[in-house]
Amino acid sequence: MSNERFIKQAKAKAAKYCSLKERAPFQVMEKLMGWDLDEDLAQSILAELTAENYVNEERFVRAYCHDKFEFNKWGKQRIRQELGRLRVSDDMIQVGLNYLDPERYEGILIGLAAKKFDSLRTEQDPWKRKQKTTAYLLRKGFEMDLSIEIVNQLSERQQ
């Protein structure tokens, strides 16, 4: 097979990969490298896909932030961490996080906290109940100060 035909096929295959769902440039590059392309060729294919708008980092980040928040109920810290693993720049991560509605964010946090706090009704020690709820929110990626504030409010209402 000629080299030009191979490159065309790789680009078409990568375009299909990108059209299935939003992808980070790093994910596309990994996929291209997995097809035994040399790095320069993979970079040039990625550049072409970016120019043709198959790969758009901002669009990916916005979709990722939206989906992980709405469907997985992740907080900003968890989203930031996962996007960092995908080698997205801090500036671009901030763009995606700014896209989240602050009122909805707080509403989700309160809902998760209330559900977890209520599920720990049998816990006799109020401090342990608060600690377990806060730890849950931190694992979900919500900020420490917000989590503590919400849990304290829930605890005060229970007394």
Side-chain angles (χ1 to χ4, degrees), residues 22-26 50 53-66 83 87-89 91-99:
E22 294 295 339
R23 309 278 183 183
F26 174 72
T50 302
N53 213 20
Y54 282 101
V55 178
N56 182 316
E57 189 174 38
E58 183 175 346
R59 189 177 64 212
F60 164 75
V61 169
R62 289 180 124 186
Y64 189 91
C65 289
H66 173 269
L83 283 171
R87 304 212 179 137
V88 174
S89 70
D91 293 340
M92 195 55 67
I93 292 172
Q94 198 55 51
V95 166
L97 293 177
N98 288 342
Y99 182 68

Side-chain angles (χ1 to χ4, degrees), residues 71-96:
F71 303 122
N72 295 43
K73 307 289 189 249
W74 286 359
K76 290 179 180 180
Q77 300 301 321
R78 175 86 184 264
I79 293 170
R80 181 182 306 280
Q81 180 182 19
E82 296 300 324
L83 283 171
R85 287 185 184 159
L86 295 173
R87 304 212 179 137
V88 174
S89 70
D90 289 338
D91 293 340
M92 195 55 67
I93 292 172
Q94 198 55 51
V95 166

